[in-house]
Amino acid sequence: TCQVHFESSNWKSLSIKRLTDSRLHGSTGLRSGSQANFFPPLEDAMLPSGSFNNRMALITGGGTGLGRAMTATLSQLGAQCIIASRKLDVLQRTAEEISSQTGNKVHAVQCDVRDPQAVSQCVDQIEALTGLPDVIINNAAGNFVCPSERLSPNAWKTITDIVLNGTAFVTLELGKRLIQNQKGASFLAITTIYAESGSGFVVPSASAKAGVEALYKSLAAEWGRYGHRFNIIQPGPIRTKGAFSRLDPTGAFEKAMIDRIPTGRLGTPAEIANLAAYVSSNYASWMSGAVIRFDGGEYVSLAGEFNELRSVTPDQWKLLEAMIRKTKGS
Ligand SMILES: CCCCC/C=C\C/C=C\C/C=C\C=C\C(=O)SCCNC(=O)CCNC(=O)[C@H](O)C(C)(C)COP(=O)(O)OP(=O)(O)OC[C@H]1O[C@@H](n2cnc3c(N)ncnc32)[C@H](O)[C@@H]1OP(=O)(O)O
Ligand SMILES: NC(=O)C1=CN([C@@H]2O[C@H](COP(=O)(O)OP(=O)(O)OC[C@H]3O[C@@H](n4cnc5c(N)ncnc54)[C@H](OP(=O)(O)O)[C@@H]3O)[C@@H](O)[C@H]2O)C=CC1
């Protein structure tokens, strides 16, 4: 299966014919992505049942995607949940479905997090329904891929308003009321791996998510004295309609994305829901200011400049090593 052709002893002219995922990788017997068999996702709730009994949880964007999965897990573990976003019909459908499965009430509250007045009214409604929450998950977001030179001011404003200002309005409004009531709480923000690295083509999202991380790290330092913990989860790719339809509308990039993930697969909503439940639970009461990357290894895979050498087969390595060992001096 060795496809190395020596055109000269120069590294640059070494032509390595890349093997596609439908062919064996050297003598390892691994097909691209087949390592996923080592990393099967577990779908059941990880924490003991009742871990969130008598606790109230607010999940923004809890009607769909990852927010919905987090709501389902918290509800299954005993929490009374409130889900908030713009589309009341979507929220109500999700709330009914989850409540009927878990037997625990899920409340739907309409709220556009970009509007501080709407956020304040939403928190009034939450106080009346359940009292102030013990768990706040800032999960709502907006995003789309777009070359930055095509972004209008309003496109920039829309994404940064939802992601950064929305998270800030929800966090500050609840924080102030919790402080007044001398009540502790766990705050969790869902960001993304490129909040750390930056990324072209999603620049408003990258900028806003980086701001959210700064906000949460800062408040972790400032508001511990009020009983508040602040943590961040940076998910890698997890299939949801909201994300994939806006970031890879044709599906053209999915295979390349999976190929670069060392665990060979996308994450699942249930996996991130378990992590979010743990971080929000009392089992994690010493965790604050943490940034947890949850991406199957994608970030480090993208970062290391030699990681492409994964495609070199054992036979090719023998040839490369011989060439390297033959080199004397500089
Ligand atoms: C190499 C490829 C890799 C493939 C990756 C595949 C999978 C994903 C992997 C990782 C994901 C990592 C991070 C994910 C982060 C996320 O946040 S995903 C969550 C995405 N979910 C959502 O976005 C849900 C909510 N979104 C929306 O409601 C809308 O999309 C929107 C954000 C636009 C807000 O809606 P609305 O308030 O109704 O805004 P408007 O439609 O009025 O638009 C406001 C302005 O924005 C301009 N605009 C809208 N869409 C685009 C576009 N596609 N391109 C350019 N500009 C756009 C619009 O024209 C408005 O501006 P103007 O008024 O015209 O100037
Ligand atoms: N899926 C993935 O691969 C990844 C996702 N993430 C993050 O995970 C989180 C969830 O994303 P995902 O589930 O994939 O996508 P979704 O599109 O399903 O979730 C986004 C949610 O945000 C809500 N929302 C959007 N705008 C507003 C607004 N102005 N006010 C209130 N709520 C709003 C939406 O509800 P509505 O339309 O009713 O307002 C929706 O429920 C986001 O923070 C995203 O950035 C990060 C990395 C990877």
Side-chain angles (χ1 to χ4, degrees), residues 134-190:
D134 310 274
V135 170
I136 296 110
I137 304 185
N138 270 291
N139 163 80
N143 199 5
F144 47 75
V145 282
C146 181
S148 300
E149 65 273 21
R150 293 172 65 94
L151 287 170
S152 68
N154 192 37
W156 175 274
K157 188 170 175 341
T158 299
I159 301 302
T160 54
D161 271 353
I162 301 171
V163 175
L164 177 55
N165 291 337
T167 302
F169 295 151
V170 171
T171 302
L172 293 174
E173 186 65 38
L174 280 161
K176 287 175 196 169
R177 297 201 203 191
L178 286 159
I179 291 166
Q180 249 173 6
N181 285 270
Q182 298 185 350
K183 185 173 173 177
S186 160
F187 291 80
L188 172 63
I190 308 300

Side-chain angles (χ1 to χ4, degrees), residues 61 64 66 85-87 111-113 139-141 191 209 235 238 240 242:
T64 64
L66 307 186
S85 73
R86 295 165 301 174
K87 301 193 186 88
C111 179
D112 186 330
V113 296
N139 163 80
T191 62
K209 293 284 194 184
I238 302 175
T240 65

